[in-house]
Amino acid sequence: MREQDPKVRATNFEEVCCGYDREEAALEATRCLGCKKPRCVEACPVSVKIPDFIRCIVEGDVAAAARVIAQDSLLPSVCGRVCPQETQCEGACILGVKGEPVAIGKLERFVGDWAREQGLNLAEAAPNNGHRVAVVGSGPAGLACAADLAKSGYEVTIFEVLHRPGGVLEYGIPEFRLPKGRVVAPEVENVRRLGVKIETDVVVGRTITVDQLLDDEGFEAVFIGSGAGLPRFMGIPGENLNGVVSANEFLTRTNLMHAYDERYDTPIYTGERVVVVGGGNVAMDAVRTAKRLGAEASIVYRRSEAELPARREEVHHAKEEGIDFRMLTNPVEIVGSEQGWVTGIRCVRMELGEPDASGRRSPVAVEGSEFDMPCDVVIMALGTSPNPLIAATTPGLEIDRRGCLQAADDGTTTREGVFAGGDAVTGAATVILAMGAGRKAAAAIDAYIRGRE
């Protein structure tokens, strides 16, 4: 896929990848073997009928391809851009055994973009069945759950804490990876077209409780897809200095509050040198954002490059843009001035020891290897956990030791009538896994309500 030149894109927030045109998409689609037992579908968390939509592209009927995808997902342009296809659908593609798999994600993006540009309405709701369901959170899990329920005739209302719907799609993923006005907003609108109502600026647990939704507002079930927005820190000396921020705050200011746009007054501080601690996709988003805001930006990660959890594509793009990677390096202290501002980060070199419980080799500090990295800002990208507010204000709703809601595979929680899925249950994960959880919960909610009739 064509991309912006790295030296140019590192100075702007325009999308990195340009997308396929119709001829390029048709050519790539011809590589699909149309397997009788498509492993790609089995590997897709929302079970998109991949060979079917690709065959439509080959036949030149992109509208039909869009309708096939819409049966299982109303967010094709989003998923085509941010899903880790290499470990899911494309990772299961038979062509990938000895060569390059079919570029399923890029083809999905092409179809979604084409459908949007043509103004194709793919929202088909069933007649109202007289039942009402509340959804907490308008991120991927909530949108997927609401869409499936609306397609089955339910009256669905989504309650969103922020002033714009989309959840992590709005606040967490940078514009250069996922354009908000051009991609996210229209795909949220697709869910609205199904008849789903979205109420913003509602803090469930404060503005209204889950009990009130069930007992006073007439909802027969509640789905909690509130995500995981509570950042983690290392607990090392100096984390209270000015200039230490979570990736969540940094990205929210930039993405949702448009700090990158000079027309907005959102304050953001990057200084001249930024160090991002972490190695996941959020860390890549944060460090590449800092670069675009004019800072000299570095990644510090305690394992080797082989263990980086971020997508290979994101690591590749970051390197092209001049990001400095400090592997096998772990912070032990953040150093500051007498005025309380960050002046550097003290690190220790690591080496890989024996594998831990997850199978990854555990990093071990090298004795006497401490060194300092000068910087103005330290961004912690160490993962997130769910906000405890909903669990704390909902009797009978249990959480696990990580603060995540306890839920079965179908989203059933410890509280009758309350279902949950996505990052609120698993902790920070991927957009597509959250969508899959939302769809499973929608089916369970349907069965629950029908069982009470």
Side-chain angles (χ1 to χ4, degrees), residues 302-335:
R302 63 182 185 149
R303 289 185 164 95
S304 71
E305 185 173 335
E307 283 80 34
L308 275 171
R311 294 183 67 190
R312 296 296 97 186
E313 182 179 55
E314 302 308 316
V315 175
H316 170 69
H317 283 158
K319 286 184 173 181
E320 284 187 327
E321 292 163 9
I323 302 301
D324 177 31
F325 281 76
R326 300 289 186 95
M327 300 292 99
L328 292 169
T329 302
N330 198 43
V332 293
E333 181 181 355
I334 300 170
V335 183

mmCIF file of all heavy atoms in Angstrom, residues 302-335:
data_model
loop_
_atom_site.group_PDB
_atom_site.id
_atom_site.type_symbol
_atom_site.label_atom_id
_atom_site.label_comp_id
_atom_site.label_asym_id
_atom_site.label_seq_id
_atom_site.Cartn_x
_atom_site.Cartn_y
_atom_site.Cartn_z
ATOM 1 N N ARG A 302 12.075 -2.842 28.309
ATOM 2 C CA ARG A 302 12.964 -3.684 29.113
ATOM 3 C C ARG A 302 13.312 -5.022 28.469
ATOM 4 O O ARG A 302 14.213 -5.710 28.949
ATOM 5 C CB ARG A 302 12.336 -3.940 30.491
ATOM 6 C CG ARG A 302 11.028 -4.702 30.452
ATOM 7 C CD ARG A 302 10.458 -4.853 31.841
ATOM 8 N NE ARG A 302 9.254 -5.684 31.837
ATOM 9 C CZ ARG A 302 8.890 -6.454 32.848
ATOM 10 N NH1 ARG A 302 9.632 -6.518 33.930
ATOM 11 N NH2 ARG A 302 7.793 -7.166 32.784
ATOM 12 N N ARG A 303 12.624 -5.380 27.402
ATOM 13 C CA ARG A 303 12.954 -6.612 26.689
ATOM 14 C C ARG A 303 13.603 -6.268 25.350
ATOM 15 O O ARG A 303 13.855 -5.123 25.029
ATOM 16 C CB ARG A 303 11.715 -7.473 26.500
ATOM 17 C CG ARG A 303 11.182 -8.133 27.784
ATOM 18 C CD ARG A 303 10.019 -9.054 27.477
ATOM 19 N NE ARG A 303 9.707 -9.973 28.555
ATOM 20 C CZ ARG A 303 8.782 -9.776 29.488
ATOM 21 N NH1 ARG A 303 8.079 -8.649 29.479
ATOM 22 N NH2 ARG A 303 8.560 -10.673 30.428
ATOM 23 N N SER A 304 13.865 -7.299 24.545
ATOM 24 C CA SER A 304 14.485 -7.075 23.235
ATOM 25 C C SER A 304 13.416 -6.765 22.198
ATOM 26 O O SER A 304 12.215 -6.899 22.457
ATOM 27 C CB SER A 304 15.279 -8.311 22.806
ATOM 28 O OG SER A 304 14.401 -9.375 22.461
ATOM 29 N N GLU A 305 13.853 -6.380 21.005
ATOM 30 C CA GLU A 305 12.893 -6.041 19.950
ATOM 31 C C GLU A 305 12.007 -7.228 19.590
ATOM 32 O O GLU A 305 10.849 -7.053 19.231
ATOM 33 C CB GLU A 305 13.636 -5.545 18.707
ATOM 34 C CG GLU A 305 12.701 -5.061 17.624
ATOM 35 C CD GLU A 305 13.414 -4.419 16.454
ATOM 36 O OE1 GLU A 305 14.542 -3.906 16.645
ATOM 37 O OE2 GLU A 305 12.852 -4.420 15.351
ATOM 38 N N ALA A 306 12.542 -8.437 19.689
ATOM 39 C CA ALA A 306 11.760 -9.627 19.348
ATOM 40 C C ALA A 306 10.540 -9.781 20.252
ATOM 41 O O ALA A 306 9.543 -10.398 19.863
ATOM 42 C CB ALA A 306 12.634 -10.871 19.439
ATOM 43 N N GLU A 307 10.637 -9.241 21.475
ATOM 44 C CA GLU A 307 9.523 -9.358 22.426
ATOM 45 C C GLU A 307 8.575 -8.169 22.402
ATOM 46 O O GLU A 307 7.615 -8.132 23.164
ATOM 47 C CB GLU A 307 10.052 -9.529 23.855
ATOM 48 C CG GLU A 307 10.577 -10.918 24.187
ATOM 49 C CD GLU A 307 11.983 -11.146 23.673
ATOM 50 O OE1 GLU A 307 12.765 -10.181 23.658
ATOM 51 O OE2 GLU A 307 12.294 -12.272 23.282
ATOM 52 N N LEU A 308 8.815 -7.184 21.557
ATOM 53 C CA LEU A 308 7.919 -6.024 21.500
ATOM 54 C C LEU A 308 6.491 -6.481 21.200
ATOM 55 O O LEU A 308 6.250 -7.152 20.190
ATOM 56 C CB LEU A 308 8.365 -5.056 20.404
ATOM 57 C CG LEU A 308 9.446 -4.035 20.743
ATOM 58 C CD1 LEU A 308 9.893 -3.317 19.472
ATOM 59 C CD2 LEU A 308 8.954 -3.030 21.771
ATOM 60 N N PRO A 309 5.514 -6.121 22.036
ATOM 61 C CA PRO A 309 4.134 -6.540 21.773
ATOM 62 C C PRO A 309 3.425 -5.714 20.701
ATOM 63 O O PRO A 309 2.354 -6.100 20.231
ATOM 64 C CB PRO A 309 3.451 -6.358 23.136
ATOM 65 C CG PRO A 309 4.270 -5.345 23.846
ATOM 66 C CD PRO A 309 5.673 -5.492 23.352
ATOM 67 N N ALA A 310 3.994 -4.590 20.298
ATOM 68 C CA ALA A 310 3.359 -3.744 19.283
ATOM 69 C C ALA A 310 3.324 -4.458 17.932
ATOM 70 O O ALA A 310 4.129 -5.356 17.651
ATOM 71 C CB ALA A 310 4.111 -2.427 19.146
ATOM 72 N N ARG A 311 2.410 -4.032 17.099
ATOM 73 C CA ARG A 311 2.324 -4.577 15.739
ATOM 74 C C ARG A 311 3.612 -4.290 14.984
ATOM 75 O O ARG A 311 4.200 -3.211 15.113
ATOM 76 C CB ARG A 311 1.154 -3.949 14.975
ATOM 77 C CG ARG A 311 -0.217 -4.287 15.509
ATOM 78 C CD ARG A 311 -1.298 -3.682 14.629
ATOM 79 N NE ARG A 311 -1.307 -4.315 13.311
ATOM 80 C CZ ARG A 311 -2.016 -3.873 12.268
ATOM 81 N NH1 ARG A 311 -2.746 -2.779 12.397
ATOM 82 N NH2 ARG A 311 -1.991 -4.501 11.123
ATOM 83 N N ARG A 312 4.020 -5.242 14.177
ATOM 84 C CA ARG A 312 5.252 -5.064 13.398
ATOM 85 C C ARG A 312 5.177 -3.832 12.498
ATOM 86 O O ARG A 312 6.159 -3.110 12.324
ATOM 87 C CB ARG A 312 5.513 -6.295 12.517
ATOM 88 C CG ARG A 312 5.771 -7.592 13.263
ATOM 89 C CD ARG A 312 7.047 -7.542 14.087
ATOM 90 N NE ARG A 312 6.773 -7.204 15.483
ATOM 91 C CZ ARG A 312 7.696 -6.980 16.392
ATOM 92 N NH1 ARG A 312 8.973 -7.017 16.061
ATOM 93 N NH2 ARG A 312 7.364 -6.685 17.638
ATOM 94 N N GLU A 313 4.004 -3.599 11.950
ATOM 95 C CA GLU A 313 3.829 -2.454 11.054
ATOM 96 C C GLU A 313 4.068 -1.144 11.794
ATOM 97 O O GLU A 313 4.695 -0.226 11.256
ATOM 98 C CB GLU A 313 2.419 -2.463 10.454
ATOM 99 C CG GLU A 313 2.158 -1.336 9.472
ATOM 100 C CD GLU A 313 0.762 -1.386 8.882
ATOM 101 O OE1 GLU A 313 -0.216 -1.405 9.653
ATOM 102 O OE2 GLU A 313 0.660 -1.419 7.640
ATOM 103 N N GLU A 314 3.579 -1.065 13.041
ATOM 104 C CA GLU A 314 3.751 0.161 13.810
ATOM 105 C C GLU A 314 5.211 0.391 14.185
ATOM 106 O O GLU A 314 5.706 1.518 14.173
ATOM 107 C CB GLU A 314 2.886 0.125 15.070
ATOM 108 C CG GLU A 314 1.395 -0.055 14.813
ATOM 109 C CD GLU A 314 0.851 0.939 13.809
ATOM 110 O OE1 GLU A 314 1.189 2.134 13.905
ATOM 111 O OE2 GLU A 314 0.106 0.527 12.910
ATOM 112 N N VAL A 315 5.918 -0.697 14.526
ATOM 113 C CA VAL A 315 7.350 -0.596 14.837
ATOM 114 C C VAL A 315 8.120 -0.150 13.598
ATOM 115 O O VAL A 315 8.988 0.727 13.659
ATOM 116 C CB VAL A 315 7.888 -1.935 15.361
ATOM 117 C CG1 VAL A 315 9.404 -1.877 15.573
ATOM 118 C CG2 VAL A 315 7.183 -2.321 16.670
ATOM 119 N N HIS A 316 7.785 -0.742 12.461
ATOM 120 C CA HIS A 316 8.436 -0.403 11.190
ATOM 121 C C HIS A 316 8.229 1.074 10.856
ATOM 122 O O HIS A 316 9.183 1.792 10.507
ATOM 123 C CB HIS A 316 7.879 -1.294 10.083
ATOM 124 C CG HIS A 316 8.290 -0.900 8.695
ATOM 125 N ND1 HIS A 316 9.587 -1.017 8.234
ATOM 126 C CD2 HIS A 316 7.572 -0.372 7.664
ATOM 127 C CE1 HIS A 316 9.655 -0.587 6.996
ATOM 128 N NE2 HIS A 316 8.450 -0.186 6.624
ATOM 129 N N HIS A 317 6.989 1.537 10.995
ATOM 130 C CA HIS A 317 6.693 2.940 10.697
ATOM 131 C C HIS A 317 7.430 3.877 11.660
ATOM 132 O O HIS A 317 7.938 4.933 11.253
ATOM 133 C CB HIS A 317 5.187 3.189 10.777
ATOM 134 C CG HIS A 317 4.433 2.696 9.588
ATOM 135 N ND1 HIS A 317 3.089 2.406 9.609
ATOM 136 C CD2 HIS A 317 4.841 2.426 8.321
ATOM 137 C CE1 HIS A 317 2.701 1.995 8.418
ATOM 138 N NE2 HIS A 317 3.743 2.000 7.620
ATOM 139 N N ALA A 318 7.483 3.494 12.939
ATOM 140 C CA ALA A 318 8.178 4.321 13.923
ATOM 141 C C ALA A 318 9.661 4.450 13.586
ATOM 142 O O ALA A 318 10.246 5.540 13.657
ATOM 143 C CB ALA A 318 7.999 3.736 15.321
ATOM 144 N N LYS A 319 10.275 3.357 13.201
ATOM 145 C CA LYS A 319 11.699 3.392 12.831
ATOM 146 C C LYS A 319 11.925 4.274 11.612
ATOM 147 O O LYS A 319 12.876 5.062 11.557
ATOM 148 C CB LYS A 319 12.211 1.975 12.567
ATOM 149 C CG LYS A 319 12.416 1.145 13.826
ATOM 150 C CD LYS A 319 13.009 -0.208 13.475
ATOM 151 C CE LYS A 319 13.376 -0.987 14.718
ATOM 152 N NZ LYS A 319 13.981 -2.298 14.396
ATOM 153 N N GLU A 320 11.035 4.142 10.628
ATOM 154 C CA GLU A 320 11.157 4.973 9.428
ATOM 155 C C GLU A 320 11.080 6.456 9.774
ATOM 156 O O GLU A 320 11.708 7.286 9.122
ATOM 157 C CB GLU A 320 10.036 4.631 8.440
ATOM 158 C CG GLU A 320 10.230 3.342 7.671
ATOM 159 C CD GLU A 320 9.175 3.178 6.596
ATOM 160 O OE1 GLU A 320 8.026 3.634 6.814
ATOM 161 O OE2 GLU A 320 9.484 2.616 5.537
ATOM 162 N N GLU A 321 10.310 6.782 10.797
ATOM 163 C CA GLU A 321 10.096 8.188 11.178
ATOM 164 C C GLU A 321 11.185 8.725 12.102
ATOM 165 O O GLU A 321 11.117 9.878 12.528
ATOM 166 C CB GLU A 321 8.713 8.319 11.829
ATOM 167 C CG GLU A 321 7.577 8.081 10.833
ATOM 168 C CD GLU A 321 6.234 7.802 11.479
ATOM 169 O OE1 GLU A 321 6.116 7.956 12.702
ATOM 170 O OE2 GLU A 321 5.297 7.417 10.765
ATOM 171 N N GLY A 322 12.171 7.891 12.409
ATOM 172 C CA GLY A 322 13.304 8.371 13.187
ATOM 173 C C GLY A 322 13.183 8.197 14.688
ATOM 174 O O GLY A 322 13.919 8.834 15.452
ATOM 175 N N ILE A 323 12.281 7.325 15.142
ATOM 176 C CA ILE A 323 12.155 7.067 16.574
ATOM 177 C C ILE A 323 13.367 6.265 17.055
ATOM 178 O O ILE A 323 13.783 5.289 16.421
ATOM 179 C CB ILE A 323 10.853 6.292 16.891
ATOM 180 C CG1 ILE A 323 9.628 7.082 16.402
ATOM 181 C CG2 ILE A 323 10.762 5.977 18.366
ATOM 182 C CD1 ILE A 323 9.483 8.454 17.002
ATOM 183 N N ASP A 324 13.910 6.666 18.183
ATOM 184 C CA ASP A 324 15.059 5.989 18.785
ATOM 185 C C ASP A 324 14.559 4.870 19.699
ATOM 186 O O ASP A 324 13.791 5.123 20.630
ATOM 187 C CB ASP A 324 15.875 7.010 19.586
ATOM 188 C CG ASP A 324 17.053 6.373 20.305
ATOM 189 O OD1 ASP A 324 17.602 5.388 19.786
ATOM 190 O OD2 ASP A 324 17.419 6.875 21.393
ATOM 191 N N PHE A 325 14.979 3.638 19.456
ATOM 192 C CA PHE A 325 14.560 2.494 20.266
ATOM 193 C C PHE A 325 15.693 2.088 21.206
ATOM 194 O O PHE A 325 16.795 1.756 20.755
ATOM 195 C CB PHE A 325 14.181 1.304 19.376
ATOM 196 C CG PHE A 325 12.818 1.410 18.761
ATOM 197 C CD1 PHE A 325 12.593 2.252 17.675
ATOM 198 C CD2 PHE A 325 11.746 0.688 19.254
ATOM 199 C CE1 PHE A 325 11.327 2.366 17.103
ATOM 200 C CE2 PHE A 325 10.478 0.790 18.694
ATOM 201 C CZ PHE A 325 10.274 1.629 17.612
ATOM 202 N N ARG A 326 15.429 2.115 22.513
ATOM 203 C CA ARG A 326 16.394 1.669 23.512
ATOM 204 C C ARG A 326 15.883 0.356 24.110
ATOM 205 O O ARG A 326 15.110 0.344 25.070
ATOM 206 C CB ARG A 326 16.544 2.720 24.612
ATOM 207 C CG ARG A 326 17.020 4.085 24.124
ATOM 208 C CD ARG A 326 18.481 4.076 23.682
ATOM 209 N NE ARG A 326 18.940 5.404 23.349
ATOM 210 C CZ ARG A 326 19.587 6.205 24.191
ATOM 211 N NH1 ARG A 326 19.847 5.809 25.420
ATOM 212 N NH2 ARG A 326 19.977 7.419 23.807
ATOM 213 N N MET A 327 16.322 -0.756 23.522
ATOM 214 C CA MET A 327 15.877 -2.062 23.974
ATOM 215 C C MET A 327 16.694 -2.524 25.181
ATOM 216 O O MET A 327 17.778 -2.026 25.449
ATOM 217 C CB MET A 327 16.004 -3.083 22.844
ATOM 218 C CG MET A 327 15.185 -2.768 21.598
ATOM 219 S SD MET A 327 13.396 -2.890 21.869
ATOM 220 C CE MET A 327 12.957 -1.194 22.112
ATOM 221 N N LEU A 328 16.130 -3.511 25.902
ATOM 222 C CA LEU A 328 16.795 -4.070 27.087
ATOM 223 C C LEU A 328 17.229 -2.957 28.042
ATOM 224 O O LEU A 328 18.347 -2.929 28.554
ATOM 225 C CB LEU A 328 17.983 -4.939 26.670
ATOM 226 C CG LEU A 328 17.607 -6.245 25.942
ATOM 227 C CD1 LEU A 328 18.838 -6.898 25.323
ATOM 228 C CD2 LEU A 328 16.919 -7.211 26.909
ATOM 229 N N THR A 329 16.305 -2.026 28.249
ATOM 230 C CA THR A 329 16.551 -0.868 29.104
ATOM 231 C C THR A 329 15.342 -0.654 30.007
ATOM 232 O O THR A 329 14.202 -0.673 29.523
ATOM 233 C CB THR A 329 16.792 0.390 28.248
ATOM 234 O OG1 THR A 329 17.906 0.155 27.378
ATOM 235 C CG2 THR A 329 17.071 1.598 29.105
ATOM 236 N N ASN A 330 15.571 -0.470 31.294
ATOM 237 C CA ASN A 330 14.460 -0.329 32.230
ATOM 238 C C ASN A 330 14.674 0.880 33.145
ATOM 239 O O ASN A 330 15.735 1.024 33.742
ATOM 240 C CB ASN A 330 14.332 -1.591 33.091
ATOM 241 C CG ASN A 330 12.971 -1.690 33.754
ATOM 242 O OD1 ASN A 330 11.948 -1.433 33.120
ATOM 243 N ND2 ASN A 330 12.946 -2.079 35.015
ATOM 244 N N PRO A 331 13.683 1.769 33.270
ATOM 245 C CA PRO A 331 13.812 2.926 34.159
ATOM 246 C C PRO A 331 13.814 2.498 35.629
ATOM 247 O O PRO A 331 13.060 1.593 36.019
ATOM 248 C CB PRO A 331 12.572 3.757 33.843
ATOM 249 C CG PRO A 331 12.072 3.239 32.527
ATOM 250 C CD PRO A 331 12.439 1.799 32.493
ATOM 251 N N VAL A 332 14.619 3.163 36.423
ATOM 252 C CA VAL A 332 14.625 2.916 37.869
ATOM 253 C C VAL A 332 14.328 4.194 38.651
ATOM 254 O O VAL A 332 13.988 4.142 39.818
ATOM 255 C CB VAL A 332 15.972 2.315 38.333
ATOM 256 C CG1 VAL A 332 16.152 0.925 37.756
ATOM 257 C CG2 VAL A 332 17.144 3.223 37.946
ATOM 258 N N GLU A 333 14.441 5.343 37.985
ATOM 259 C CA GLU A 333 14.169 6.614 38.652
ATOM 260 C C GLU A 333 14.002 7.708 37.612
ATOM 261 O O GLU A 333 14.627 7.677 36.550
ATOM 262 C CB GLU A 333 15.329 6.983 39.595
ATOM 263 C CG GLU A 333 15.128 8.279 40.364
ATOM 264 C CD GLU A 333 16.298 8.621 41.260
ATOM 265 O OE1 GLU A 333 17.245 7.800 41.359
ATOM 266 O OE2 GLU A 333 16.288 9.711 41.867
ATOM 267 N N ILE A 334 13.117 8.672 37.908
ATOM 268 C CA ILE A 334 12.985 9.857 37.064
ATOM 269 C C ILE A 334 13.648 11.012 37.805
ATOM 270 O O ILE A 334 13.353 11.258 38.979
ATOM 271 C CB ILE A 334 11.516 10.155 36.742
ATOM 272 C CG1 ILE A 334 10.896 8.960 36.012
ATOM 273 C CG2 ILE A 334 11.400 11.415 35.892
ATOM 274 C CD1 ILE A 334 9.409 9.034 35.849
ATOM 275 N N VAL A 335 14.545 11.686 37.134
ATOM 276 C CA VAL A 335 15.361 12.729 37.739
ATOM 277 C C VAL A 335 14.741 14.094 37.436
ATOM 278 O O VAL A 335 14.257 14.328 36.320
ATOM 279 C CB VAL A 335 16.805 12.659 37.219
ATOM 280 C CG1 VAL A 335 17.677 13.699 37.906
ATOM 281 C CG2 VAL A 335 17.382 11.257 37.416
#
